[in-house]
Each structure stands twice: as C-alpha cells, then as structure tokens.
Amino acid sequence: MFSQLITSLAPHFAHPGLVPLGAMMVASPIIIHLINRMRFRRVRFAAMEFLLASEQKNRRRLLLEQLLLLLLRILIVLGLLALIARLLLDPSQLSLFQGAKVHHVVLLDDSGSMRDRWGETSAFQEGLAVARKLAVDGAKRPGTERISLLLLSRPSEPLFTQEDVNEDFLTRLDTKLENLKGQATYQELDVIAGMEEARKLLADDRAAMKTLHVVSDFRVRDWVSQGTIEGELKGLEKAGINLNLVRTVPDTHGNLAITDLSGDVHVAAAGVPLRLRVAVKNYGKELAKDVRLAVFQDGQKLPMAIVFDKIDAGKEVDREFDIVFDVAQRHVIQLTLDPDSLDGDNARWLAVDVPPKNSVLIIDGDSSGEEAFFVAAALAPDVNITGYAPLVEGVDYLRRQPLNPFQSIYLINVPELAADAIEPLKDFVKSGGGLVWFAGDLVKPAFYNDKLYEEGKGLFPVPLAPSRRDLPANDGTNPGADFRFQADHPIFEKIFGEDNPFSDLVLVSTYLPVADSWPRDDNERKDGVRTIATFRNKQPVFFEHQYGKGKVITCLTSAAKGWNNWASGPGAPSFVTTQLEIEKYVARQDRAPERRTVGQPLDFALSPTEYVGQIEIRSPKMADIPVLLNATRGTDKPSDASKPGTDKNDTPATGSEPPARPLDANAPLRETFTETNAPGVYTVALLKQDDTKEERLYSYNVPVDEGNLEVASNDEIRKRAGEVRFDIQDAGSFQWIQGRELGDENGVRTKLLALLVILLLSEQALACRLSFHPKQLAAA
C-alpha cells in the first residue's frame, strides 16, 4: 500500500528519486515525539499528588496542542521535500491518485524542414531523442503511463497506440526509432491535420490524463502564417488535453535552395537548343556570395557551371541557360548546389522527352497555299534550327488522316469545315492539342457563328460580324501602332515591348470584326475568352481561350496575304518571332514528362484495349530494383485496398456490405503508387497489348516552402494561439521530462515557500508556548 502511494506520487516531482527518502523522513518528528515522552522516570511523592490532580484538568488540552505541534513539524518536512524534489502538480491531474494512467501522445514532425542539420545531428534526430527520453523516464514507474507515437506524415497510422511504458516497450521502441533515423520525409505536411488525428486518438481514452507533445521545428510558415492554428489549439484545450510544444531546433539556420528548374520542354527537339530557367533563393539572413550550380545530364556532369556572384538575404534570383540534346530520347537534367544545412532543396530534377522533331499541321483554305507558306517558313526555315516540322495540307486532310501525331494545328483562311472534320478537330483540342485561327477573305462568318462559335461553347471564341471591315487610316486623331499588344502576355512580352520598334512597322488594312452585340469587356462577359491584342481603333483582334485541355489562339486579320504587311513588310522579323511564340504557347503539353512534388501519389487509369495492366516502377533510391504493380478494373464502391490490413482481392463477409455492381468491360485499369517520398526521376514502364512497353518519366522535387527555415519565437506562437494555455520547451532541454505533468512549477514553488514560512512561525510559537522557561533571578 505504501509503495503504491509512493509510485502514484512520484510522477508529480521533477526528482522522483527523492520521494521515497522524503517519505521516510516524515517519520522523524513522530519518533522524536515518542522519545521525548519516554525519557522521564515516574517518581511518586506526597507533594506530586496535588500537582497530578491539577494536571488532570488540562490533560486533554495539552495533548491536542502537542499533536498539533507534531503535525506542524510533519508538514514542514513534507514542504521541504516538495521544494527539494520540485513538485509539479496540476489540480486537473488529481485523477492519478485514483489509479488513472497518464496517456502521452507524441506527434513527431517528419516534414522536409526537419532534415535541417547542424554538427552531427538534425532536427529529426533530436525529435527521436525526445520520444525515447520520454519513454525511458516513464519506464521508471511501470504501470503508470501509456504512450502513443504518431508521425506527422501518417498521423492516422500510429507507430504505437496506447502502449504501457515498460522495459519491453523500450526495446521495441528503440528498434523502431533506429529504423526511423534519417527517414524524415521531404514533404510539406499539415500540422493541423496531425493535431486533429491526435485529438481523435485521445478522445477515445476518457479515463486517463491526456497530454499531447508536439515535437517539431516550429517554423514561421506553420505556426505564425497558418491562419487556422488557433482554432485547433482551442479544440485541444476544450477536450481537456494538455498541450506541450517541444522544440528540436535551437535557432534559424541559413539555407540556399533551388526553387525552380523549368523550360518549354514540350517543344524540345533533338539537336535544337532548349532554353531552361533555374532560380535560387537565399532563405538565410546574410548575403550569399559566389553561388555555383553544377549541371548534370543523364547522370553525367556537363562542362558548364551557373554562377551567381551574390544573392541578398531573403531574395530569389534566376538565370536562363541552353542545353542541346544530341539524341532523340528521354533525358534527365539535374542541377545541384553545394551542401548546406538542408540537403533536400540543394538539387532539382527535370525530365525531358526529346523527339526528333515536333510536327505541326497547317491547313490553308486557299488552294494557292501562299499564307501557309509564310507561316511554315516562320516556324521552320530549317527543322534543325527550330525543331518544328510543319505539314501544309488542304481542308480535307482533317477528315482523312489522324490528328494525334501533331503538336498543334493552324487553320488559315478556312471558309468552312465539314461535320466529319469538326468532330476530330474538337477531340484533338479537348485532349490537349493546340489550335490557331487566322481570318481571311474566304471565311464565312455565318458558318463560323453557327457551327464553330456555338453560343460561346465551340472552338471559335467570338461571334463575327457579317462582313469584313477596313481599319481607318491613321490621320492623327488616334495615333500609334495598328496593333496594341498586351505586353505582359507570354506570346508578346519578348517581342513588342515599349522600346521595340516592330509594332510601328506592322500596318493593317482589313480585319473581320466581332459582332456589335458582343461585349468587348472581358470582365463583363466572364466567358473565359481573353482579349490579348486590339487595333488602334480599340477593336479586338487577338484572343485566347481554353477548350478542354487545349489552348486556342484566334487572330481576326490574315496571316500574311492582302490584309496586312506583317509577313512581308519591314515588320517581318516580328512575324517570325510571333509565330514561334504562338506555337510554343499552344503546343500540347500533356505528353511532356510531368513535374510533381514529393509525396504526390502516381495514379494510373489505363485503357484495357491498349494496356495489359502490368506496371513497372523504378524509383530514384531503388533504380535497379523495380516495383511491380498490376492494375485492375475498379467497381462502383470504394476499394478495400485503401484500408490498412486488407487486400484488394479480399471478399467481404456476406451481408457486411452491399454487393458491388458488375464490372464494366471498358472500365479503366486502375492502380496507385504512393511511395514517392524521394526526390528525383521515377521511371514507369507500362506493358501494352502488343507486348511493347511504353515508358514515362516523372520528375519529383521538394516543396519550395520547406527551404524556409525561419523559426517562430515563443512570443509569436503564443500570440497566434490567443488565450490557449500550453507549454513550450526549449531545444536540447530535457529537464521538463522528469516533471512532464506540466504543472505551473514557479507558481507551486512560490506557494510552498509562503506555506513553509507560515508553518515555521506557527511551529515556533506553539513550541514556545508548550515548553518550560524559568524566570531569571535578579542579581543581589
């Protein structure tokens, strides 16, 4: 009984080892009291009889006063014990005396920023150490505590759930933590979602005292910029959960990060320079000098380096560079920085699928093909220079040949289209192909309005007026260039800037106007059609809009013949550049290797008529050992494969669930690959029905924001939390673990000192009253 009482009391002290010794010292005043009562020898004589009769009258009062003095001395010993052993008692935790266990839930942040390193350790390793020390201290009092351990990347899948803390648990915990070393993810994780899962776990344990330890680096972006953090903290407090925030990082560390590696990879071609862009950001507080990036192609370092002389603190800089791929195949580009505190953002990958050429179909409504010639010449004076291979054909080509091989299609001065030509064209654009319209004297506005505009739902973006119109001559009333381009649009920003003379050299005489009833203001219509250029008289001429996955660019003047001098006049250089930029803008991008963020799953939905369903995946960490998956047809109900501990082929018990509907023979083959934490390029091979393999590349990079290692201060966190009460522990400090019930230690010590003073004064006063003090005789 005594040992159980001591065990239940020990968790309330920072130095629980002193509790048994202090409990034994409580007996010292009792022993002294008993000794004092036994040290006198009774001697009876006549004079004492009178004194004993007098004593009987005051015996009860004296006994009570002596017992009170004894109690005061016991309380003084207990008070000294509480001060020395550091009592940490919260009134809400008195349930411990009734035998309830403490339930600690440790939510361990394993996001990308927790890979922050300094010296021989990292933020994540410090977090693992916190979890272990918490368990080691709890094991000193077997049967009093339980622990649940959650990773922020998988909070709904605890590593341990309500485990009794003892030596056996410590052994299993050590094994698990050892396997976790260096296994922090590269992902950007949601701390609020993690705390929600922890709250749900603790809500199921109503009898225990509940404490949530959030072990994290507490970056500003998560704890200060996060707008909903206060609401979740209030939810924890309302649920009666003690919150303890444990830091793993002592201070903000400087960090350089590659934040972007991109380019127009969808128009890459063998032997043609591909322009790429790289951006580097200095997340530190000091100037970074002589920042160098190494460039790798297919694992081989290139004899080139990208150098930034300096990057100011908090600033991002970028640089463009060219790479030439000699061979038409899939390539991987990697850029790397010198090592620093965070390794994940020191490298960035880009996958490029390089074909021999990019095919472009040009349909000319005029049998002479003169305008198509100008456009084709602009796109490809030599296929080895631009990588484009234009094919000029008549309108019937749309009906007779597949359109899938082309990146984009130009329709120049086409009067009308047959119904069996419109549908393939729609399918082509919906699937991601690009479409460019140029007007001309053969265009029939009534047909375009009826069959192509389709009340704003078709391939053509605007309704046309019945007839063409001449652009009024520049008589000085409305001076300036005939074209007024939006200089910030990607097609025109590099061509028609404020200092570019080509705008003034392009002269337009005729155009097809939009219908008078069509609102000119894009914000008024809100139909998804954007006006990107107008004439001098403010009539729109260039438009862009989205149709399915494809982009459509429309010009209401001719491409080259008769209506302007753009292709053949002094402004011809801008015509060539504009056509190249238009093609780059509208060319289909759905076939370019995808760029993704680590952690995003790979979802496959394969046509059973084209693919067998066998999927082979090679990840950056295990390129030599592929993962084999088999895609299967899904049902109309959720797959059981998403539930832990079940197999997608398991059959539910009769009556447990409604039966699935019969499988559709044309339903896609589906499978999901979730192990995408490592940055780099993932290679996927899909087995087709003809026994060939289709290879796809996916480049995975770390989230940009994870490179920002700025640590939130205690004051910033408390300000964001509002009135919610919680504790914050400094990085590297483990003293709180020995008194982790998180009571108000300073408040308790102050009250104990005041109580001790009162007890000591009371004891002295009472002792003085009960003791004998003979009066001193005056000197003769």
Side-chain angles (χ1 to χ4, degrees):
M1 183 67 181
F2 178 76
S3 62
Q4 291 180 353
L5 178 61
I6 297 301
T7 301
S8 64
L9 285 172
H12 293 281
F13 293 87
H15 303 294
L18 298 177
V19 175
L21 178 61
M24 289 186 291
M25 290 180 63
V26 171
S28 58
I30 302 174
I31 295 173
I32 293 172
H33 175 76
L34 294 176
I35 291 174
N36 285 334
R37 290 182 60 86
M38 296 173 60
R39 67 180 180 176
F40 300 105
R41 183 165 58 89
R42 292 188 176 187
V43 179
R44 300 184 67 86
F45 55 92
M48 287 295 296
E49 296 298 328
F50 174 77
L51 295 176
L52 288 174
S54 175
E55 181 187 2
Q56 290 296 330
K57 298 180 180 180
N58 300 316
R59 182 178 183 86
R60 181 174 297 178
R61 178 176 58 80
L62 291 173
L63 180 60
L64 290 175
E65 288 177 343
Q66 289 175 354
L67 291 178
L68 180 60
L69 180 60
L70 175 62
L71 178 61
L72 287 174
R73 289 170 176 171
I74 292 175
L75 291 177
I76 289 171
V77 174
L78 290 176
L80 290 173
L81 170 64
L83 280 176
I84 297 173
R86 294 175 59 192
L87 177 66
L88 296 165
L89 182 60
D90 189 327
S92 65
Q93 301 167 358
L94 294 178
S95 61
L96 286 177
F97 295 109
Q98 302 172 2
K101 293 184 179 180
V102 182
H103 186 186
H104 298 283
V105 173
V106 180
L107 178 61
L108 179 57
D109 184 357
D110 59 338
S111 61
S113 62
M114 289 288 284
R115 303 180 73 91
D116 183 9
R117 297 194 64 85
W118 63 97
E120 298 298 323
T121 187
S122 69
F124 188 64
Q125 288 179 348
E126 292 296 303
L128 296 176
V130 169
R132 188 181 189 283
K133 287 182 180 295
L134 194 66
V136 167
D137 191 75
K140 297 176 182 177
R141 297 170 295 279
T144 64
E145 300 186 3
R146 294 198 300 267
I147 282 185
S148 298
L149 179 59
L150 287 67
L151 292 178
L152 189 56
S153 59
R154 302 187 301 273
S156 60
E157 304 172 14
L159 300 180
F160 295 101
T161 305
Q162 300 191 31
E163 292 275 356
D164 287 326
V165 181
N166 49 40
E167 293 300 327
D168 175 66
F169 170 71
L170 280 181
T171 302
R172 292 183 288 119
L173 178 65
D174 285 341
T175 302
K176 178 66 72 173
L177 297 183
E178 185 66 28
N179 294 333
L180 285 175
K181 282 186 178 180
Q183 296 301 314
T185 70
Y186 293 89
Q187 303 173 28
E188 182 177 12
L189 304 175
D190 187 355
V191 66
I192 293 179
M195 289 193 292
E196 286 178 353
E197 290 295 332
R199 176 161 52 84
K200 294 176 184 177
L201 179 61
L202 286 167
D204 297 335
D205 193 1
R206 301 182 183 278
M209 189 192 70
K210 299 169 282 191
T211 301
L212 171 60
H213 306 274
V214 180
V215 184
S216 175
D217 50 7
F218 297 97
R219 307 299 181 181
V220 168
R221 66 177 184 276
D222 295 324
W223 291 86
V224 177
S225 303
Q226 178 70 268
T228 57
I229 193 76
E230 181 180 358
E232 181 57 32
L233 297 183
K234 287 182 177 179
L236 292 170
E237 186 178 53
K238 185 177 180 180
I241 299 171
N242 298 313
L243 179 61
N244 185 33
L245 307 183
V246 186
R247 293 184 180 275
T248 60
V249 177
D251 198 3
T252 299
H253 299 141
N255 180 44
L256 290 174
I258 303 177
T259 55
D260 183 46
L261 176 58
S262 59
D264 298 311
V265 297
H266 59 290
V267 292
V272 179
L274 176 65
R275 178 64 53 90
L276 299 177
R277 173 188 178 270
V278 63
V280 179
K281 187 168 184 177
N282 180 7
Y283 285 108
K285 298 179 180 179
E286 298 179 356
L287 175 72
K289 297 181 179 179
D290 193 28
V291 179
R292 296 176 175 270
L293 287 84
V295 183
F296 295 82
Q297 178 178 325
D298 300 326
Q300 301 296 319
K301 186 176 181 180
L302 299 181
M304 63 181 294
I306 301 172
V307 182
F308 297 96
D309 294 333
K310 65 176 184 177
I311 306 177
D312 293 327
K315 300 296 182 181
E316 183 180 70
V317 294
D318 62 357
R319 183 76 51 81
E320 290 185 339
F321 63 100
D322 291 339
I323 281 188
V324 178
F325 301 100
D326 296 327
V327 181
Q329 64 180 35
R330 293 173 181 83
H331 296 274
V332 175
I333 300 298
Q334 179 188 4
L335 269 67
T336 62
L337 279 168
D338 291 336
D340 59 10
S341 58
L342 194 63
D343 62 344
D345 55 14
N346 290 336
R348 210 158 185 89
W349 287 263
L350 181 67
V352 186
D353 191 356
V354 181
K357 60 184 179 180
N358 293 301
S359 300
V360 180
L361 177 62
I362 302 176
I363 303 296
D364 196 334
D366 189 342
S367 59
S368 67
E370 184 177 349
E371 289 185 278
F373 168 78
F374 281 100
V375 174
L379 291 176
D382 185 342
V383 68
N384 296 320
I385 297 177
T386 65
Y388 296 120
L391 174 66
V392 178
E393 292 287 347
V395 176
D396 285 345
Y397 187 90
L398 299 174
R399 305 166 57 191
R400 295 183 285 105
Q401 299 295 334
L403 306 179
N404 196 49
F406 298 100
Q407 289 272 53
S408 60
I409 298 175
Y410 282 67
L411 296 179
I412 300 174
N413 199 14
V414 174
E416 58 185 5
L417 295 172
D420 56 352
I422 294 177
E423 289 306 315
L425 188 61
K426 285 183 176 181
D427 293 339
F428 172 78
V429 181
K430 283 181 180 179
S431 66
L435 180 63
V436 181
W437 297 96
F438 276 99
D441 55 358
L442 299 179
V443 169
K444 297 179 179 180
F447 175 82
Y448 274 64
N449 293 342
D450 183 31
K451 301 299 183 181
L452 298 175
Y453 174 61
E454 298 182 289
E455 299 296 329
K457 300 178 181 180
L459 289 170
F460 204 76
V462 295
L464 297 173
S467 60
R468 62 189 181 183
R469 190 174 300 174
D470 293 334
L471 183 67
N474 190 350
D475 56 2
T477 58
N478 191 11
D482 287 355
F483 279 131
R484 305 287 176 87
F485 298 101
Q486 285 193 3
D488 61 343
H489 194 276
I491 294 177
F492 307 122
E493 62 181 354
K494 297 180 181 179
I495 310 169
F496 299 103
E498 294 181 359
D499 299 329
N500 197 309
F502 290 115
S503 296
D504 295 330
L505 300 178
V506 179
L507 302 178
V508 179
S509 59
T510 310
Y511 66 97
L512 267 177
V514 297
D516 294 336
S517 60
W518 189 76
R520 268 56 172 177
D521 188 350
D522 294 349
N523 294 325
E524 179 184 349
R525 294 190 317 274
K526 297 181 180 180
D527 56 357
V529 177
R530 178 185 176 189
T531 304
I532 58 177
T534 61
F535 288 121
R536 179 171 25 86
N537 63 353
K538 300 183 180 180
Q539 291 298 311
V541 58
F542 269 97
F543 307 91
E544 74 158 305
H545 77 286
Q546 194 86 13
Y547 188 82
K549 297 180 181 179
K551 295 178 181 177
V552 181
I553 295 293
T554 303
C555 177
L556 296 185
T557 188
S558 63
K561 180 182 175 182
W563 287 9
N564 58 68
N565 71 340
W566 197 2
S568 56
S574 69
F575 177 82
V576 174
T577 309
T578 300
Q579 300 310 315
L580 291 171
E581 293 298 327
I582 288 176
E583 174 56 29
K584 186 190 302 182
Y585 188 73
V586 302
R588 69 184 314 144
Q589 302 184 25
D590 58 308
R591 296 173 184 171
E594 291 187 39
R595 291 183 293 165
R596 292 169 168 251
T597 302
V598 289
Q600 286 184 276
L602 281 171
D603 292 315
F604 300 96
L606 309 176
S607 170
T609 60
E610 186 176 359
Y611 299 94
V612 173
Q614 182 176 317
I615 304 172
E616 181 182 288
I617 301 176
R618 297 179 184 269
S619 65
K621 285 188 175 182
M622 303 182 65
D624 297 331
I625 306 176
V627 176
L628 299 179
L629 303 176
N630 285 304
T632 58
R633 290 184 178 89
T635 63
D636 290 343
K637 66 174 184 177
S639 172
D640 288 335
S642 61
K643 301 177 183 178
T646 61
D647 186 88
K648 67 176 65 180
N649 296 318
D650 288 346
T651 302
T654 304
S656 61
E657 292 185 10
R661 297 179 182 177
L663 295 177
D664 184 357
N666 296 321
L669 305 173
R670 298 186 180 276
E671 186 55 274
T672 299
F673 180 71
T674 59
E675 300 300 320
T676 57
N677 177 58
V681 175
Y682 291 72
T683 303
V684 177
L686 306 175
L687 184 62
K688 306 185 76 171
Q689 291 288 356
D690 58 2
D691 288 335
T692 61
K693 287 187 177 181
E694 177 185 315
E695 190 173 271
R696 300 179 183 178
L697 300 182
Y698 299 85
S699 55
Y700 276 80
N701 291 291
V702 300
V704 172
D705 290 340
E706 284 300 299
N708 187 358
L709 302 181
E710 184 180 2
V711 176
S713 67
N714 290 357
D715 291 340
E716 288 175 325
I717 296 175
R718 292 191 183 280
K719 183 178 180 181
R720 170 57 68 183
E723 300 298 324
V724 180
R725 293 184 57 190
F726 55 88
D727 290 87
I728 304 179
Q729 312 302 334
D730 293 332
S733 173
F734 298 105
Q735 293 180 353
W736 62 270
I737 292 182
Q738 297 174 342
R740 59 187 174 281
E741 310 317 329
L742 309 175
D744 184 2
E745 180 183 3
N746 292 330
V748 171
R749 289 174 69 84
T750 302
K751 294 174 183 177
L752 282 175
L753 284 171
L755 181 61
L756 268 177
V757 170
I758 295 173
L759 290 174
L760 287 169
L761 292 175
S762 301
E763 189 272 343
Q764 286 296 306
L766 189 57
C768 182
R769 169 181 168 79
L770 297 180
S771 59
F772 176 69
H773 300 279
K775 295 181 179 180
Q776 300 294 328
L777 296 176

